[in-house]
Amino acid sequence: METMSTVTGLKSSGDVLFLMLGAVMVFAMHAGFAFLEVGSVRKKNQVNAFVKILTDWSVSTIVYFVIGFPIAYGISFLKPAEELLGKTQGYDLVHYFFLLCFAACIPAIISGGIAERAKFWPQVFAGAVFAGLSYPLFESLIWGKNSSLLQGIFKGIGGAEFHDYAGSVVVHSIGGWIALPAVLVLGPRMGRYIQGKSHPLPISNIPFLALGSWILAVGWFGFNVMSAGNLEKISGLVAVNSLMAMVGGVLAALVAGKNDPGFVHNGALAGLIAVCAGSDIMHPLAAFVVGCVASVIFVYGFHYEQEVLKIDDVLGVWPLHGVIGSWGGIAAGIFGQKALGGMGGVTFVSQLAGSLSAIVFALVSGFVVYGILGKTVGIRLSQEQEYAGADLSIHSIGAYPEDHVR
């Protein structure tokens, strides 16, 4: 009896440690989001990028603890600490920590699209709504306590439940498609389009952009592999598929983007975003193809968004996270099939239906929240503030203070 108790305790402790390490890896990805944005904006907006990401993370932590996680999984932490620890060494707590890192990706993704001209506090409020209410509601329908409702519909029309192992759709597509209304409501930055003609604004720092991509890529193995939830379900297939999709994205971007470093480093992220959904069921060579296609979608999608549609999405988060996240959900229904070397258990129809449902949900959420904020408190800096830069206008200090010393 004592031996059984020891074994059970070790298993619980191992699962807590496993998931905590995954949470820390995904938490580190938020530094990647920050550096990716800092490198992609002008120098006068670098401080703002850092502060936004850290503030959004902090607010997301509170609202997801009190509101979001209970909405998604029906587990409340408003109880004595002894009960929170329980017999599982606090597994629910570290599970919250891990999934918080996913929820906090939503405002981090949006931040890159609205950079350089958004007011600070209205965006903090919007991020709180998305991390505490909107995202957990959709999360509950796919992964959480209400999954039988929507998944039953997908199974009825497609023959299988919607499969999203690590969040191509639940996290990235939702974040990218919510960002689109934010960017549209804000409008383009001053000088980006003049009399209908495109005038690309220079980015500030390629090394910072590259650093952000590398941090995200390393952390992504926690994002995908640790989505197993516990040690006994860990999958080497997920790890290698993530790797293959990432390098597929890099190599395809190198060709399609004509050696452009911005496309190459975002290409790695494109591949990783696309493989999340089917990383546990695809063959590694299929994951490579999925990553290649995702990268090509980003290169041409970014050009189409910026130059044809004239949407000033600074980091291209709509094509990168929104469109490619949707592609990842659909790709799982193609390359997850046994006929293509996959594990099976998925259908194209269910994957398409699930991906489309996320788009509709995200667009409605985004337009409602940003529409209300735009009509009430406003969400855009004044022309004077935008011209001076968000760093001085909002934080009263620039990224290089010594430049202002006389």
Side-chain angles (χ1 to χ4, degrees):
M1 191 71 176
E2 184 177 345
T3 302
M4 286 293 293
S5 178
T6 302
V7 170
T8 301
L10 285 173
K11 181 185 181 303
S12 296
S13 299
D15 288 341
V16 168
L17 178 61
F18 172 78
L19 206 53
M20 189 201 72
L21 293 175
V24 171
M25 290 179 72
V26 186
F27 174 37
M29 290 173 67
H30 289 266
F33 280 119
F35 276 99
L36 193 72
E37 182 175 335
V38 167
S40 300
V41 298
R42 290 167 289 181
K43 286 198 298 183
K44 62 183 180 179
N45 298 296
Q46 290 181 331
V47 170
N48 182 243
F50 278 128
V51 177
K52 271 193 304 179
I53 298 294
L54 185 58
T55 302
D56 283 338
W57 164 265
S58 301
V59 172
S60 296
T61 297
I62 299 301
V63 297
Y64 193 70
F65 184 87
V66 177
I67 304 171
F69 194 79
I71 288 176
Y73 300 98
I75 298 173
S76 173
F77 298 120
L78 302 180
K79 59 184 70 171
E82 185 177 6
E83 292 183 34
L84 295 180
L85 188 62
K87 297 180 179 180
T88 60
Q89 303 298 104
Y91 180 84
D92 285 339
L93 287 170
V94 79
H95 192 209
Y96 146 78
F97 182 13
F98 182 72
L99 291 173
L100 157 69
C101 298
F102 285 47
C105 285
I106 305 301
I109 289 169
I110 297 168
S111 177
I114 63 174
E116 301 200 310
R117 76 273 202 203
K119 287 183 177 180
F120 185 78
W121 286 111
Q123 175 52 31
V124 170
F125 176 80
V129 172
F130 295 133
L133 293 173
S134 298
Y135 170 79
L137 177 58
F138 191 79
E139 182 183 18
S140 77
L141 295 171
I142 303 298
W143 292 338
K145 67 176 184 178
N146 298 315
S147 59
S148 60
L149 301 175
L150 195 56
Q151 291 286 21
I153 295 174
F154 294 143
K155 189 171 184 178
I157 63 175
E161 292 187 349
F162 174 67
H163 185 87
D164 188 5
Y165 183 72
S168 288
V169 172
V170 176
V171 179
H172 296 284
S173 179
I174 288 289
W177 284 96
I178 286 178
L180 179 59
V183 172
L184 293 175
V185 172
L186 269 175
R189 290 168 291 173
M190 293 169 55
R192 180 63 182 88
Y193 302 104
I194 301 174
Q195 296 180 342
K197 292 185 179 181
S198 175
H199 294 267
L201 301 176
I203 67 176
S204 61
N205 197 306
I206 293 294
F208 275 179
L209 185 156
L211 177 62
S213 175
W214 273 105
I215 294 172
L216 283 163
V218 172
W220 223 291
F221 289 88
F223 196 98
N224 284 2
V225 176
M226 268 67 165
S227 285
N230 53 59
L231 272 170
E232 64 185 20
K233 293 181 181 178
I234 193 170
S235 168
L237 182 65
V238 173
V240 173
N241 281 346
S242 301
L243 175 66
M244 295 296 280
M246 181 189 77
V247 299
V250 170
L251 296 176
L254 190 66
V255 176
K258 300 177 181 178
N259 301 332
D260 182 282
F263 284 134
V264 170
H265 287 92
N266 277 288
L269 308 183
L272 287 163
I273 289 166
V275 81
C276 288
S279 57
D280 63 324
I281 57 173
M282 294 180 187
H283 188 278
L285 292 178
F288 177 80
V289 172
V290 168
C292 289
V293 173
S295 199
V296 171
I297 289 173
F298 178 67
V299 171
Y300 291 101
F302 184 81
H303 175 80
Y304 187 78
E305 176 192 38
Q306 302 280 329
E307 306 302 327
V308 178
L309 298 179
K310 292 184 171 54
I311 297 174
D312 187 20
D313 173 2
V314 181
L315 270 67
V317 298
W318 173 44
L320 181 61
H321 294 273
V323 177
I324 291 173
S326 300
W327 157 242
I330 295 168
I334 300 171
F335 295 98
Q337 303 288 342
K338 288 190 174 182
L340 293 176
M343 300 285 287
V346 291
T347 67
F348 176 79
V349 172
S350 293
Q351 293 304 116
L352 178 63
S355 300
L356 291 176
S357 70
I359 293 173
V360 173
F361 180 87
L363 287 176
V364 171
S365 298
F367 276 116
V368 168
V369 172
Y370 286 107
I372 292 174
L373 288 174
K375 297 291 186 182
T376 53
V377 297
I379 59 175
R380 180 156 184 160
L381 296 174
S382 69
Q383 288 189 346
E384 294 79 9
Q385 290 172 322
E386 186 178 342
Y387 181 79
D391 292 359
L392 295 178
S393 298
I394 297 174
H395 310 287
S396 302
I397 191 170
Y400 307 93
E402 65 182 350
D403 290 350
H404 302 287
V405 176
R406 293 291 183 265

